[in-house]
Amino acid sequence: MEASVILPILKKKLAFLSGGKDRRSGLILTIPLCLEQTNMDELSVTLDYLLSIPSEKCKARGFTVIVDGRKSQWNVVKTVVVMLQVILVSANKLTRYIEPCQLTEDFGGSLTYDHMDWLNKRLVFEKFTKESTSLLDELALINNGSDKGNQQEKERSVDLNFLPSVDPETVLQTGHELLSELQQRRFNGSDGGVSWSPMDDELLAQPQVMKLLDSLREQYTRYQEVCRQRSKRTQLEEIQQKVMQVVNWLEGPGSEQLRAQWGIGDSIRASQALQQKHEEIESQHSEWFAVYVELNQQIAALLNAGDEEDLVELKSLQQQLSDVCYRQASQLEFRQNLLQAALEFHGVAQDLSQQLDGLLGMLCVDVAPADGASIQQTLKLLEEKLKSVDVGLQGLREKGQGLLDQISNQASWAYGKDVTIENKENVDHIQGVMEDMQLRKQRCEDMVDVRRLKMLQMVQLFKCEEDAAQAVEWLSELLDALLKTHIRLGDDAQETKVLLEKHRKFVDVAQSTYDYGRQLLQATVVLCQSLRCTSRSSGDTLPRLNRVWKQFTIASEERVHRLEMAIAFHSNAEKILQDCPEEPEAINDEEQFDEIEAVGKSLLDRLTVPVVYPDGYGSCSYHFIFYWC
């Protein structure tokens, strides 16, 4: 029976144990009857409760019952006496059985008793006893279940059924406060408050409280260890669950995303789109990698403070998580590097394609240079563009080979499947791009060779035209020299013969110049036919050349005739003079003289005639001067 159940009855103070003892060390039970009618049932309940408090040892010493009927009717007193079968003793004879110090003030004693204070402390004690007993049973159940290694309990997370119904800390604190009061023999524990004399340990239940506290501490210590182990197990299970979530996602959806992304694109735009898609995949992986970092830190902390039995499992989880994450990170990095290499490859291919288009456009435009210098400049530009194409193609080959090497290094483990088919498509695309660029470059080289030959022929044509014009100028200069400076006929036959010999050499030079000009003009015609064009200057150069040559030929022949006539004249005159050196006037052979005179007159007449007649070929003439000795 608990005090809280019959609290209204106990508050009526129908009976109480004051803590006093008789001379036999038996407890004194006091029944203070009042003027009001006493309910015997309530009194019986009160007595049953009070008599259940002392220990069996204390009960064996018996009780002294004091029925205070001074304020009650006799019939009530009689009823109580009969019910309890006690001996009636007057109040003044109580000291025969009980020391005054063991009697309350109501009976002339000095023992102080506060019923409400006792009742409150009794309630506290019973509450502590009830809670501690229940808590001990619960803790024992939890601890014993943990000691037996209940597999079902270990496999599930924290279950409310395995938590105590009351807080052990609160119960322990209540017990310590109660024990402190009991040890001080004070129920209120405050100075100046109402207190009452000490009772025996059996009545105050100090040993029982101490025993309960000891048991509670023991069980609670075990419970804390169980909770620690359970918390550690729960944390380990949570970590294991999160690890499996990370592993399952990376090996499942994460790997599936990478499996679906195997292409490299066929252009810069396609590669950039694949890179953007890959960045989205990396962003999703980053969230799981962040969970991996957090889990790795938690596992490291548990490894530093973990038990030997958990080290193997923790290290296994850490190794599994690290292997999967590093493998997935390697796949992401490989994919990123592959896409970057593909982007660079397509960038170089696009630049090279633009260079080839520019070169082809330049080759498709017909060449109409103004002179040889512009042709040389155009040739230089073509060579530079062709060299740039060579460099670009070499760069494309290097990028393509690097990309092929990366693809060839892609093993089946990278995406968890055989990637031979996908790789073949990528390889075919890369090789196709490089072969196409090689063919385009070869076609451009062939066209450049043709254009180079054509432009070199044009350079040669311009050179021939320039040289032919120069030949005309040279021939004109020779003609001018012939007409202006080659006018002397010599003072004697010998000098005239020398002049004739020089003239013939002069004619040879002019002949060579004319032949050179004719050859250049013939070469010009051949080159124009090869180039399928018309010469800019051959149309008037050839007539000019022929006209100057004709003028030179006429003047040269006239010069030869006059020199030959001068030689004949000088020879005959010198012969006559040799025959009559002292008297040239006495020439007997009139016929010979007439012949010399006729030659001289003929020569003088020829000198009066222009060398070139006024028919558009010139009008220069020159005369001989004769000196007679």
Side-chain angles (χ1 to χ4, degrees):
M1 186 181 299
E2 297 179 0
S4 58
V5 178
I6 58 173
L7 183 60
I9 298 176
L10 293 176
K11 287 183 177 181
K12 294 179 180 181
K13 198 179 178 181
L14 300 178
F16 63 89
L17 291 170
S18 62
K21 295 182 180 180
D22 57 18
R23 297 183 184 278
R24 298 176 294 110
S25 297
L27 295 177
I28 298 175
L29 176 63
T30 303
I31 303 176
L33 300 176
C34 57
L35 294 175
E36 299 176 358
Q37 185 66 30
T38 301
N39 188 322
M40 293 301 164
D41 292 335
E42 293 180 350
L43 177 59
S44 177
V45 171
T46 301
L47 292 176
D48 289 341
Y49 174 74
L50 292 176
L51 293 177
S52 66
I53 294 176
S55 63
E56 295 299 326
K57 181 179 178 181
C58 185
K59 291 178 182 180
R61 293 195 292 267
F63 293 88
T64 295
V65 180
I66 300 178
V67 182
D68 186 1
R70 292 175 293 179
K71 297 180 180 180
S72 180
Q73 298 178 1
W74 169 249
N75 58 345
V76 176
V77 176
K78 181 179 179 181
T79 302
V80 173
V81 170
V82 172
M83 181 181 64
L84 296 176
Q85 297 181 359
V86 297
I87 300 174
L88 294 175
V89 179
S90 61
N92 55 4
K93 294 182 180 180
L94 285 175
T95 55
R96 294 181 181 179
Y97 304 96
I98 303 171
E99 294 291 338
C101 63
Q102 298 297 321
L103 293 172
T104 60
E105 295 176 352
D106 295 335
F107 302 105
S110 58
L111 182 62
T112 301
Y113 174 73
D114 184 345
H115 183 70
M116 293 306 299
D117 184 67
W118 174 84
L119 183 58
N120 291 332
K121 294 302 183 288
R122 187 66 191 178
L123 289 172
V124 172
F125 168 74
E126 290 185 354
K127 179 183 179 182
F128 167 72
T129 303
K130 179 180 178 182
E131 290 181 349
S132 59
T133 303
S134 175
L135 181 60
L136 282 172
D137 293 339
E138 294 175 356
L139 293 178
L141 178 63
I142 295 173
N143 296 336
N144 293 335
S146 175
D147 291 341
K148 292 178 181 179
N150 191 326
Q151 186 64 27
Q152 182 179 2
E153 189 274 335
K154 285 186 178 181
E155 291 177 354
R156 58 183 171 179
S157 58
V158 177
D159 190 346
L160 294 178
N161 295 329
F162 286 86
L163 293 177
S165 58
V166 293
D167 183 20
E169 294 287 347
T170 303
V171 176
L172 284 172
Q173 182 179 358
T174 303
H176 285 298
E177 292 175 354
L178 179 60
L179 180 61
S180 178
E181 293 184 1
L182 293 176
Q183 289 174 344
Q184 295 175 4
R185 294 292 194 263
R186 297 175 62 86
F187 280 92
N188 58 1
S190 61
D191 297 337
V194 179
S195 61
W196 52 302
S197 299
M199 298 183 183
D200 284 347
D201 290 341
E202 292 86 348
L203 184 60
L204 296 178
Q206 180 177 340
Q208 187 177 356
V209 173
M210 294 177 64
K211 182 178 180 180
L212 286 173
L213 285 174
D214 292 339
S215 300
L216 277 176
R217 280 191 290 267
E218 179 183 358
Q219 291 294 336
Y220 183 54
T221 300
R222 292 179 58 194
Y223 170 73
Q224 286 179 319
E225 179 62 21
V226 170
C227 289
R228 190 184 70 82
Q229 293 293 335
R230 181 185 297 172
S231 175
K232 185 176 65 174
R233 171 55 58 179
T234 301
Q235 186 178 8
L236 188 61
E237 291 176 352
E238 291 177 353
I239 290 177
Q240 185 177 14
Q241 183 179 4
K242 291 181 179 179
V243 167
M244 295 311 301
Q245 288 178 352
V246 174
V247 170
N248 291 336
W249 190 90
L250 292 179
E251 293 183 341
S255 296
E256 187 62 32
Q257 289 178 346
L258 289 176
R259 291 190 192 101
Q261 298 294 317
W262 52 267
I264 61 174
D266 56 359
S267 63
I268 293 180
R269 182 175 298 179
S271 295
Q272 288 175 341
L274 289 174
Q275 272 192 334
Q276 184 176 0
K277 179 64 178 178
H278 183 72
E279 289 175 357
E280 296 175 0
I281 296 175
E282 282 186 332
S283 177
Q284 297 180 19
H285 279 75
S286 297
E287 299 177 0
W288 291 98
F289 288 154
V291 177
Y292 156 70
V293 173
E294 180 181 355
L295 288 174
N296 199 35
Q297 292 175 350
Q298 294 179 4
I299 293 174
L302 290 177
L303 286 174
N304 292 332
D307 297 333
E308 290 294 333
E309 61 183 11
D310 299 328
L311 291 179
V312 176
E313 184 175 2
L314 285 172
K315 289 182 178 179
S316 176
L317 284 175
Q318 188 180 42
Q319 187 64 40
Q320 181 184 12
L321 183 63
S322 298
D323 291 343
V324 174
C325 289
Y326 281 121
R327 183 169 61 249
Q328 199 74 358
S330 299
Q331 296 172 13
L332 289 171
E333 183 180 6
F334 174 83
R335 176 65 179 169
Q336 177 62 34
N337 294 337
L338 184 66
L339 290 176
Q340 183 62 35
L343 182 62
E344 294 176 358
F345 172 77
H346 289 126
V348 174
Q350 179 175 297
D351 293 341
L352 179 59
S353 178
Q354 293 175 352
Q355 292 177 1
L356 289 170
D357 291 340
L359 180 58
L360 182 61
M362 185 176 178
L363 293 171
C364 291
V365 176
D366 194 14
V367 180
D371 52 27
S374 61
I375 293 177
Q376 293 291 346
Q377 186 67 26
T378 304
L379 278 175
K380 182 179 180 182
L381 182 59
L382 277 176
E383 296 295 340
E384 289 177 353
K385 285 185 173 293
L386 188 60
K387 183 178 181 181
S388 178
V389 168
D390 288 334
V391 174
L393 183 60
Q394 182 62 31
L396 181 67
R397 290 169 178 167
E398 292 176 358
K399 294 293 183 182
Q401 188 58 49
L403 187 56
L404 290 174
D405 292 341
Q406 283 186 276
I407 293 176
S408 64
N409 291 332
Q410 180 181 1
S412 59
W413 64 264
Y415 300 110
K417 67 171 186 176
D418 188 5
V419 293
T420 305
I421 298 177
E422 290 82 354
N423 281 347
K424 185 177 184 302
E425 295 182 9
N426 294 332
V427 170
D428 291 343
H429 168 69
I430 296 169
Q431 292 177 345
V433 171
M434 292 193 294
E435 291 174 358
D436 179 63
M437 292 299 172
Q438 177 64 37
L439 290 175
R440 291 178 61 187
K441 188 248 185 184
Q442 186 63 46
R443 288 196 296 268
C444 286
E445 282 183 340
D446 295 340
M447 294 179 68
V448 168
D449 291 340
V450 174
R451 177 58 59 87
R452 185 188 295 110
L453 177 61
K454 181 177 181 180
M455 298 188 79
L456 290 175
Q457 287 178 341
M458 294 184 71
V459 171
Q460 189 176 3
L461 173 61
F462 287 153
K463 182 65 175 174
C464 288
E465 290 178 345
E466 292 175 359
D467 291 347
Q470 185 65 48
V472 174
E473 293 296 327
W474 288 343
L475 194 59
S476 298
E477 292 175 358
L478 292 174
L479 175 61
D480 188 63
L482 175 63
L483 295 176
K484 293 181 179 180
T485 61
H486 293 208
I487 58 176
R488 294 184 71 255
L489 297 177
D491 297 334
D492 52 31
Q494 182 64 33
E495 183 181 2
T496 303
K497 290 179 180 180
V498 171
L499 290 175
L500 180 60
E501 184 65 26
K502 289 182 178 179
H503 176 72
R504 286 172 178 169
K505 292 180 179 180
F506 183 77
V507 171
D508 291 340
V509 172
Q511 182 68 50
S512 300
T513 303
Y514 172 72
D515 293 340
Y516 175 65
R518 292 282 296 183
Q519 292 173 1
L520 289 174
L521 290 175
Q522 290 176 359
T524 301
V525 173
V526 174
L527 289 172
C528 287
Q529 291 175 351
S530 175
L531 294 172
R532 297 179 182 180
C533 67
T534 59
S535 175
R536 300 176 304 171
S537 58
S538 60
D540 61 344
T541 303
L542 181 59
R544 286 176 54 213
L545 179 65
N546 291 331
R547 183 171 61 250
V548 173
W549 177 246
K550 183 177 182 180
Q551 292 174 351
F552 184 88
T553 302
I554 293 173
S556 176
E557 290 177 352
E558 182 62 25
R559 171 72 171 165
V560 171
H561 289 158
R562 293 180 180 185
L563 288 173
E564 288 178 348
M565 292 176 66
I567 291 173
F569 174 77
H570 284 302
S571 296
N572 292 327
E574 289 174 357
K575 183 178 181 182
I576 293 175
L577 292 175
Q578 286 176 0
D579 292 339
C580 298
E582 297 179 356
E583 296 181 358
E585 295 85 356
I587 299 177
N588 297 321
D589 191 354
E590 294 181 0
E591 183 179 353
Q592 186 177 10
F593 180 80
D594 291 338
E595 183 180 354
I596 294 172
E597 183 180 11
V599 172
K601 288 181 178 181
S602 177
L603 180 58
L604 289 174
D605 291 339
R606 198 173 187 93
L607 290 175
T608 61
V609 179
V611 176
V612 180
Y613 290 92
D615 56 355
Y617 295 98
S619 59
C620 295
S621 63
Y622 55 90
H623 304 274
F624 285 101
I625 299 176
F626 293 96
Y627 298 94
W628 296 88
C629 298

